[in-house]
């Protein structure tokens, strides 16, 4: 397999390799010359603005967006102001920084999203240079203006502009500068001639890198590593200084013997790099300068000559994009070195060899295997093969490595297959996204760093929905985080398709999304509404299960009726109230009431609300509905709140009218009675100062009786047709209370008592008047005799009555009241009982 | 304190702990010292979730009752309002906050809505111009409060009134939400049965909410097998009948509030001090009633007539236990005796308390008035003369007995007669002029007798001492609601289809899909668990009847009870009345 190492070059102890990723699909007439180019890391998209400085309005520059493999995504003429810099955000949005300091944001497909500005004063001073950088806080923008001042925005999604302090002695733009993120602070490192400054929020400090002698000249180019940990400085004498970005350690200093300023300078490292390097590019030369001092020169014959290239620093290498192809330059991962280094005796390499012999059916396979097994390195060998496969870009190399691993695994027991399985799956995904059509040239290391979630997002941004869904299913990601997320994006995008009818879109969305967990129809509907498709939004909202989400959007779209019925459906009364109070403010009263009328639930809630808060509205509401019954009730209730008798009577009169309209004769009659009573009470109050007003009929009669006004009481009794029973009770109790025993006796004889005479006995006893009580015992009906006698504690009498009635239960009751002293009585009762029982 | 919640078949302490955790989280959100301003209605239910000590641990230094005017001064950083989402309360809060600003004291305001925040209320605060003054506006989802090992209540007093008189289904929404919370903790309930309009509505909302939460499928093995939703409307008779169990009578006579009862103090005077003790205790005696008290758990659900015997038996056991000390010879035996002493003393004081309570109740139950009332009730329940104006009711009205007592009787007559005849109705109405639950008879046939016979609602030979049927709780009347529950378990509602049709509202059955792998593998002889939810309230006697069913050896079913409110006839009818004082003659 010697050919694998064909593109390897040694650098110090390590090797570097340059792998072709793509032949670019684009067809650029003028190459990358005279263009602003921005290519995002992690295999991100490429933006290209031709001749940004050509300002004649007749020929506008063209802004083009390509995938990393050069597939055309979007292209449109640039109509805004001159652009200084292009850059990509972490969520694949394109930033176009204009000379006047405004930053325009476009999505991947070239549609404008929003803009912001880097400060008003920049309109005058103009942006000289700008840089887009990434930090844990998001994507940031830094500019230097014509007045030599720097302004930073650390996170464009949470825009806070910071104007950095002045740099002493700086005229125009610095010779070179970079943005650093260190210790949770964003700083600018810049050089002005031989001077080097660090610029942070509060100060500008002149610094000197350790071991950097002023004799080596002016700093003309600088670069920070992907992780912001390392710094490279290039001077006009051709010296390259490398060290930590804290400027505390020096790594090396290399004399490149090239004095022109390189076009590009980028760090090339990988995590746990053995031999990091800096890649410098001039027009005709690509130079890899290792920290060890070694260099590799990729001369022009390996390299498109005239055509300028773009270097993109990655986590684990550098991508080199030219107008025709794209390559990845990286330090060969250690495991790959072990595997493929010529004459390597690493266990993995032996296993690969063993497998190859095995395929040839050669017995040498056994020899190799034995060799590995003797050193008990078979597990290690399998691991090496699997790991190396992950780092290889070429599927056939991946396959042969994985097959070797699989072969080796057969001879192992208790070997966990997890790593093997995961790597196979991940490689399948990676190969899928590396496809030319998709164009995400991710290495395994980058993939691990960016995480699967982000990869799915990236695919979704590029609208590779089916692929994303396939991937989610293949990797068995829970729907909630996987498929649903993709569908949500898809649907939000689908509703923006102008050429499809509302119905078609709604149907398509509902069929695809269905009941997928976690997809919010209201979210999709909100998108549709944003694009001005209200009807579609309403159709989509119909599928939303959560009314809490539906209703506010419907209100926003002014579909208040629909909002109301949805709120009612949800059963959430607070939601209904919310809509109702919204409607109340939006509509005129008539319409509002009509709307409520069609929603009985809402209507009754509103009535409740009015009862507590707006009594007057309640009346209007009943009026509107011709609800005479309720209206009458309303008047009655209102009358209770009224202090003045006249108004009270007039309210009650209104109530009577309404009751009559409602054909509720009973209530009308009762209300009439109430009015009559009130008038009667007023008369008496005026005459006698009785203080009756507002009392109930019963209470009035009581009060009258206690005042001794028997005639008036009698009048009420007759006028209001008070049932005899009640009247008798009333009078009985009232007389007893006042202890008017004579009067009571007279009363008892006035006619036959409708409540019987036991009541008289009881009431007298309650007043502790046994004497009076006894008067009535004889009048009691036979059934109650025993009770009456007992009430006045006349056991003998009770016994007589009970024996006469031959009632066993009554006799028992008397017995239970007897004490030991009533010997005779007890005997008598027992005898009578026995006699009754015999029969 | 809450250990008794975990004794039952279903550990309801989980629910309580979840509620406590949420409370702590909210309190910690407001850093620094705090004062809580309480909506007074909430203090009772909250007492069942967290004592003052918990609040104190989280820097709550002062507590006030919400009232209009200025807030009392307190040197705290945060003022937190614990309120129900009611507009009138918002006005008070606004007033509080406005008068506060004038003092220029830098106190932070927060609102905690119980059980749910309300856009309407926030709107009101906004109109009052104080919404911006609040740093945190949060909701504390307290729907179902654990009352006992097998009992949950929402303490939502006006639920029945709102549903039937005002057509306001807020309480049902909260019920559905509460059941969702319950399912989140105890697993999806696979089977739902219900009877009544409200039950149907709650079930619909639950199914709807389940769709809303689709995706966040919970993976908990279901604890409940069945949910039975019952409208109070289906059985209006039971709550108006006088409860005859011990706990039921305590509630009828003295009223149990949030697990506490206040009793007249005389009987609890220290006996030793003799005469002097008469004027000593003036404060009502406050007793906590729940199954944590061993004796109470034993007698609470007995028919009151059986309580005396149980108490005296217990007394014998306790004195026998105290006698043991004479037999204790060795040091080991004495040690063992002493170790049991605290338990025995607690038992003795518990016995003393309940003996006093029983005496208090006995005074009332043996009175003539109580007996007469009960006689009339039983006449109605057995269907005697329900179509005529009843003399006892008439007399009661004339004697100005409490209105509620009269209404209870009239309502009962109405229910037992499937509505009163128009003439009778008008007569009563004239007499009391307060429309309550009375309804004019609509259908010409009275179907109550059919229901009574089919469901065996009246048992002649109810055994109060050693009950063999649930009818013991009303000494003869078997609560309709509980019969329905019982029949559902065995043989099933299909057998009483006809009767169900006579009762108001639809009956239905729903199934909720369980995620694969959560289907219970039932052990041989393992009981099934049913959650019975009474929409509109439940009485202690009904609870007693359900407990009785759970304990029956061959029932194969255990019941957990949930309700919107624990009620008795009096509190229930009170909640239905507009303003008791606005009675016209």
């Amino acid at each position: 397999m010697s050919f694998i190492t064909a593109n390897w070059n040694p650098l110090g102890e390590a090797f570097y390799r340059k792998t072709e990723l793509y032949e670019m699909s684009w067809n650029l007439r003028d190459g990358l010359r005279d263009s602003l180019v921005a290519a995002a890391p992690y295999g991100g998209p490429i933006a290209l603005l031709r001749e940004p400085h050509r300002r004649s309005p007749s020929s506008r520059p063209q802004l083009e967006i390509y995938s990393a493999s050069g597939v055309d995504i979007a292209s449109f003429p640039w109509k805004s102001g001159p652009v200084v810099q292009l850059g990509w955000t972490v969520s694949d949005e394109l930033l176009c920084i204009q000379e006047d300091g405004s930053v325009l944001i476009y999505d991947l497909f070239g549609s404008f999203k929003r803009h912001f500005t880097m400060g008003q004063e920049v309109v005058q001073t103009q942006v000289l240079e700008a840089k887009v950088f990434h930090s844990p806080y998001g994507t940031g923008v830094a500019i230097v203006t014509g007045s030599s001042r720097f302004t930073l925005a650390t996170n464009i999604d949470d825009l806070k502009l910071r104007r950095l302090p002045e740099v002493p002695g700086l005229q125009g733009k610095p010779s070179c500068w970079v943005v650093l993120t260190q210790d949770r602070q964003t700083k600018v490192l810049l050089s002005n001639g031989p001077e080097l400054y660090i610029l942070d929020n509060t100060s500008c400090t002149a610094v000197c890198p350790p071991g950097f002698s002023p004799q080596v000249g002016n700093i003309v180019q600088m670069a920070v590593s992907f992780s912001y940990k390392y710094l490279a400085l290039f001077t006009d004498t051709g010296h390259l200084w490398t060290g930590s970005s804290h400027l505390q350690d020096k790594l090396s200093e290399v004399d490149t013997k090239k004095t022109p300023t390189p076009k590009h300078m980028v760090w090339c490292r990988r995590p746990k790099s053995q031999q990091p390097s800096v890649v410098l590019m001039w027009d005709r030369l690509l130079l890899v300068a290792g920290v060890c001092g070694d260099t590799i020169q990729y001369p022009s014959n390996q390299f498109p000559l005239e055509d300028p290239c773009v270097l993109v620093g990655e986590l684990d290498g550098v991508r080199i994009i030219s107008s025709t192809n794209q390559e990845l330059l990286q330090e060969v991962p250690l495991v790959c070195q072990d595997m493929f280094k010529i004459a390597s005796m690493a266990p993995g390499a032996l296993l690969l060899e063993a497998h190859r012999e095995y395929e040839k059916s050669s017995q040498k396979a056994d020899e190799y295997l034995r060799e590995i097994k003797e050193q008990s390195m078979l597990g290690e060998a399998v691991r090496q093969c699997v790991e190396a496969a992950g780092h290889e870009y070429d599927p056939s190399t991946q396959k042969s490595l994985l097959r070797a691993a699989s072969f080796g695994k057969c001879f192992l027991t208790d070997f966990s297959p997890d790593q093997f399985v995961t790597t196979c799956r991940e490689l399948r995904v990676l190969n899928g996204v590396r496809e030319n059509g998709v164009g995400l040239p991710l290495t395994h290391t980058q993939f691990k760093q960016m995480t699967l979630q982000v990869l799915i997002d990236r695919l979704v941004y590029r609208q590779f929905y089916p692929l994303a869904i396939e991937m989610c299913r293949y990797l068995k990601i829970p729907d909630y985080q996987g498929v649903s997320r993709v569908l949500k994006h898809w649907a939000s995008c689908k509703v923006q398709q102008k050429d499809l009818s509302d119905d078609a879109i709604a149907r398509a969305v509902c069929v695809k999304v269905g009941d997928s967990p976690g997809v919010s129809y209201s979210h999709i509907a909100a998108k549709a509404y944003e694009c001005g498709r209200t009807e579609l939004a309403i159709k989509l909202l119909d599928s939303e299960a959560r009314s809490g989400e539906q209703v506010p959007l419907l209100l926003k779209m002014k579909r208040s009726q629909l909002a109301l019925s949805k709120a009612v459906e949800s059963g959430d009364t607070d939601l209904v109230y919310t809509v109702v109070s919204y409607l109340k403010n939006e509509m005129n009263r008539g319409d509002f009431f009509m709307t409520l009328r069609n929603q009985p639930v809402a209507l009754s809630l509103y009535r409740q609300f009015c009862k507590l808060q707006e009594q007057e509205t309640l009346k209007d509401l009943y009026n509107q509905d011709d609800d005479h019954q309720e209206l009458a009730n309303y008047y009655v209730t209102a009358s209770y709140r009224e202090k003045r008798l006249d108004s009270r009577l007039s309210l009650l009169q209104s109530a009577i009218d309404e009751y009559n309209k409602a054909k509720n004769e009973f209530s009308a009659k009762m209300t009439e009675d109430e009015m009559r009573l009130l008038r009667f009470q007023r008369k008496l109050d005026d005459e006698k100062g009785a203080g009756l007003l507002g009392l109930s009929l019963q209470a009035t009669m009581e009060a009258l009786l206690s005042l001794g006004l028997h005639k008036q009481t009698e009048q009420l009794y007759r006028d209001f047709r008070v049932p005899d029973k009640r009247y008798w009770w009333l009078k009985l109790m009232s007389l007893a209370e006042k202890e008017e025993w004579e009067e009571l006796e007279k009363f008892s004889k006035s006619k036959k008592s409708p409540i019987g005479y036991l009541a008289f006995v009881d009431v007298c006893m309650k007043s502790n008047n046994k004497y009076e009580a006894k008067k009535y015992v004889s009048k009691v009906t036979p059934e109650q005799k025993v009770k009456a006698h007992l009430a006045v504690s006349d056991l003998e009498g009770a016994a007589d009555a009970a024996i006469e009635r031959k009632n066993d239960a009554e006799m028992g009751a008397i017995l239970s009241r007897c004490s030991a002293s009533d010997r005779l009585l007890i005997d008598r009762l027992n005898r009578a009982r026995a006699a009754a029982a015999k029969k | 304190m809450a250990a008794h919640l975990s004794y039952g078949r279903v550990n309801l302490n989980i629910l309580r702990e979840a509620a406590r955790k949420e409370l702590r989280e909210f309190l910690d959100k407001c850093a620094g010292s705090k004062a809580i301003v309480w909506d007074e209605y909430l203090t009772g239910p909250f007492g069942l979730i967290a004592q003052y000590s918990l609040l104190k641990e989280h820097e709550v230094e002062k507590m006030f009752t919400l009232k209009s005017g200025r807030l009392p001064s307190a040197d705290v950083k945060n003022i937190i309002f614990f309120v129900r989402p009611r507009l009138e309360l918002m006005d008070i809060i606004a007033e509080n906050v406005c008068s506060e600003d004038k003092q220029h004291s830098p106190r932070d305001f927060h609102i905690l809505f119980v059980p749910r925040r309300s856009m309407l209320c926030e709107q009101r605060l906004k109109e009052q111009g104080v919404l911006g003054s609040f740093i945190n506006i949060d909701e504390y989802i307290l729907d179902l409060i654990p009352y006992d090992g097998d009992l949950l209540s929402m303490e939502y007093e006006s639920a029945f009134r709102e549903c039937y008189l005002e057509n306001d289904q807020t309480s049902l929404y909260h019920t559905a939400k509460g059941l969702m919370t319950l399912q989140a903790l105890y697993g999806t309930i696979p089977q739902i049965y219900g009877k009544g309009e409200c039950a149907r509505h709650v079930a619909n909302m639950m199914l709807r909410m389940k769709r809303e939460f689709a995706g966040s499928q919970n993976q908990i093995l279901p604890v409940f097998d069945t949910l039975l939703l019952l409208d109070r409307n289906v059985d209006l008779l039971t709550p108006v009948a006088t409860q005859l169990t011990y706990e039921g009578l305590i509630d009828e006579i003295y009223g149990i509030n949030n697990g506490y009862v206040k009793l007249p103090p005389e009987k609890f005077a220290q006996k030793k001090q003799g005469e002097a003790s008469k004027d000593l205790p003036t404060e009502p005696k406050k007793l906590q009633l729940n199954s944590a008290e061993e004796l109470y758990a034993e007698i609470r659900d007995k028919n009151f007539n059986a309580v005396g015997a149980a108490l005296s038996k217990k007394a014998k056991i306790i004195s026998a236990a105290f006698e043991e000390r004479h037999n204790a010879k060795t040091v080991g035996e004495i040690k063992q005796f002493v170790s049991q002493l605290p338990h025995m003393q607690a038992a003795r004081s518990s016995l003393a308390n309940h003996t006093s309570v029983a005496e208090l109740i006995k005074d009332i139950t043996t009175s003539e008035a109580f007996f007469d009332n009960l006689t009339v009730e039983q006449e109605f329940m057995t269907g005697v003369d329900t179509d005529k104006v009843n003399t006892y009711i008439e007399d009661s009205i004339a004697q100005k007995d409490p209105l509620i007592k009269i209404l209870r009787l009239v309502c009962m007559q109405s229910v037992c007669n499937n509505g009163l005849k128009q003439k009778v109705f008008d007569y009563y109405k004239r007499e009391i002029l307060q429309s309550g639950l009375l309804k004019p008879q609509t259908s010409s046939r009275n179907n109550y007798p059919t229901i009574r016979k089919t469901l065996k609602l009246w048992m002649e030979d109810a055994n109060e001492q050693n009950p063999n049927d649930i009818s013991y709780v009303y000494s003869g009347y078997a609560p309709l609601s509980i019969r329905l529950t019982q029949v559902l378990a065995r043989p099933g509602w299909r057998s009483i289809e006809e009767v169900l049709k006579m009762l108001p509202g639809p009956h239905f059955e729903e199934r909720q899909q369980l995620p694969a792998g959560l289907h219970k593998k039932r052990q041989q002889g393992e009981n099934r668990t049913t959650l019975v939810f009474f929409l509109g309230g439940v009485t202690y006697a009904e609870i007693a009847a359900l407990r009785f069913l759970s304990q029956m050896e061959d029932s194969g079913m255990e019941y957990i009870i949930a309700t919107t409110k624990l009620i008795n006839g009096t509190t229930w009818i009170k909640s239905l009345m507009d303003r008791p004082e606005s009675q016209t003659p």
Side-chain angles (χ1 to χ4, degrees), chain A residues 317-494:
Chain A
V318 174
R319 273 190 299 140
I320 306 159
I321 303 168
S322 78
S323 61
T324 53
N325 67 350
Q326 182 172 173
E327 290 171 311
L328 175 68
L329 176 69
Q330 66 171 170
E331 183 184 333
V332 179
L334 204 57
V335 64
C336 297
Q337 287 185 35
D338 283 345
M339 287 298 298
F340 298 118
K341 217 161 48 181
I342 291 159
S344 167
M345 291 298 281
L350 292 176
L351 179 59
L352 188 63
E353 203 53 42
H355 180 246
R356 201 171 304 155
E357 295 299 334
Y358 169 75
E359 300 250 279
K360 282 193 255 171
S361 312
S362 150
Q363 85 282 7
K364 275 192 191 155
D366 185 50
E367 281 171 31
Y368 283 120
L369 260 181
R370 260 177 220 283
E371 199 174 332
I372 308 170
K373 277 173 127 178
E374 269 161 24
Q375 301 168 44
S376 351
M377 292 297 267
L378 189 53
E380 177 60 22
V382 173
R383 261 188 293 277
Q384 279 185 348
C385 287
V386 172
E387 207 186 320
H391 290 298
E392 287 303 315
Y393 210 83
D394 173 36
S396 64
T397 317
Q398 293 165 5
K399 273 184 205 159
S400 57
L401 285 165
L402 288 172
R403 284 209 185 97
S406 170
F407 173 70
K409 239 154 45 70
C410 299
F411 301 94
L412 284 167
T413 50
D414 297 336
F415 187 80
S416 161
D418 288 351
Q419 191 204 12
F420 179 76
V421 173
T422 320
T423 307
C424 286
R425 288 217 175 108
E426 288 173 346
L427 278 176
R428 180 153 179 218
V429 166
L430 280 176
N431 290 337
V433 300
R434 285 168 186 167
E435 280 283 314
N436 200 55
V438 182
L440 278 171
L442 287 174
T443 65
H444 190 255
T445 317
Q446 289 166 18
F447 167 72
K448 281 297 195 198
Q449 177 73 21
M450 91 190 283
T451 73
L452 183 61
Q453 291 294 334
V454 177
L455 177 58
I456 293 169
D457 280 347
R458 295 263 157 118
L459 287 173
V460 162
Y461 295 146
R462 288 164 174 72
Q463 301 185 0
F464 290 114
Y465 301 115
L467 178 66
I469 289 178
E470 277 306 306
M471 243 171 70
C472 293
R473 296 211 170 119
Y474 177 66
L475 294 178
K476 297 196 174 69
I477 303 171
D479 275 1
Y480 207 70
Q481 300 157 15
V483 175
S484 290
R485 237 153 42 104
V486 179
L487 282 173
K488 193 168 103 187
H489 263 281
W490 167 79
S492 304
C493 171
K494 184 84 183 169

Side-chain angles (χ1 to χ4, degrees), chain A residues 622-769:
Chain A
Y622 293 141
N623 251 325
Q624 165 97 8
D625 292 352
D626 292 328
D627 190 340
H628 301 297
Q629 174 71 36
E630 281 298 330
L631 205 51
N633 289 345
Y634 167 77
Y635 284 126
V636 172
T637 342
S639 82
Y640 280 103
R641 281 193 303 270
E642 199 59 63
K643 291 260 160 22
R644 283 176 41 242
L645 184 62
D646 294 341
S647 356
R648 211 187 236 200
L649 286 172
S650 79
L651 281 169
L652 287 174
Q653 185 57 51
S654 316
I656 294 175
D657 297 346
E658 295 300 333
Y659 277 131
N660 282 330
K661 280 186 208 160
K663 299 204 168 54
N664 188 338
E665 283 160 33
F666 178 80
S667 297
K669 179 79 193 12
M670 287 298 111
T671 316
E672 255 168 56
D673 285 354
E674 166 75 3
M675 286 175 72
R676 217 142 39 94
L677 180 64
L678 283 171
R679 291 206 185 97
F680 177 87
Q681 288 171 335
R682 178 164 62 172
K683 197 169 128 247
L684 271 188
D685 281 359
D686 290 350
E687 285 169 10
K688 320 249 168 183
L692 301 172
L693 198 65
L695 293 180
S696 69
L697 178 58
Q698 184 91 358
T700 311
M701 298 204 299
E702 235 168 75
L704 288 174
L705 282 175
S706 74
L707 288 170
L709 299 169
H710 292 278
K711 228 174 79 196
Q712 283 83 349
T713 318
E714 194 114 348
Q715 189 196 338
L716 284 179
Y717 156 59
R718 259 180 279 110
D719 283 3
F720 289 94
R721 290 189 292 135
V722 175
D724 286 351
K725 278 189 181 175
R726 181 138 60 88
Y727 181 64
W728 275 71
W729 269 112
L730 179 66
K731 192 142 178 182
L732 165 62
M733 288 202 282
S734 164
L735 290 172
E737 197 169 297
K738 288 170 73 187
E739 312 206 326
E740 294 181 8
W741 305 115
E742 255 173 68
E743 194 69 28
L744 182 64
E745 197 172 349
K746 231 191 283 167
F747 175 59
S748 77
K749 289 171 181 163
S750 62
K751 67 178 202 185
K752 189 173 179 285
S753 162
I755 53 172
Y757 291 92
L758 182 60
F760 280 74
V761 177
D762 285 342
V763 169
C764 290
M765 284 311 292
K766 251 184 215 161
S767 304
N768 292 319
N769 194 333

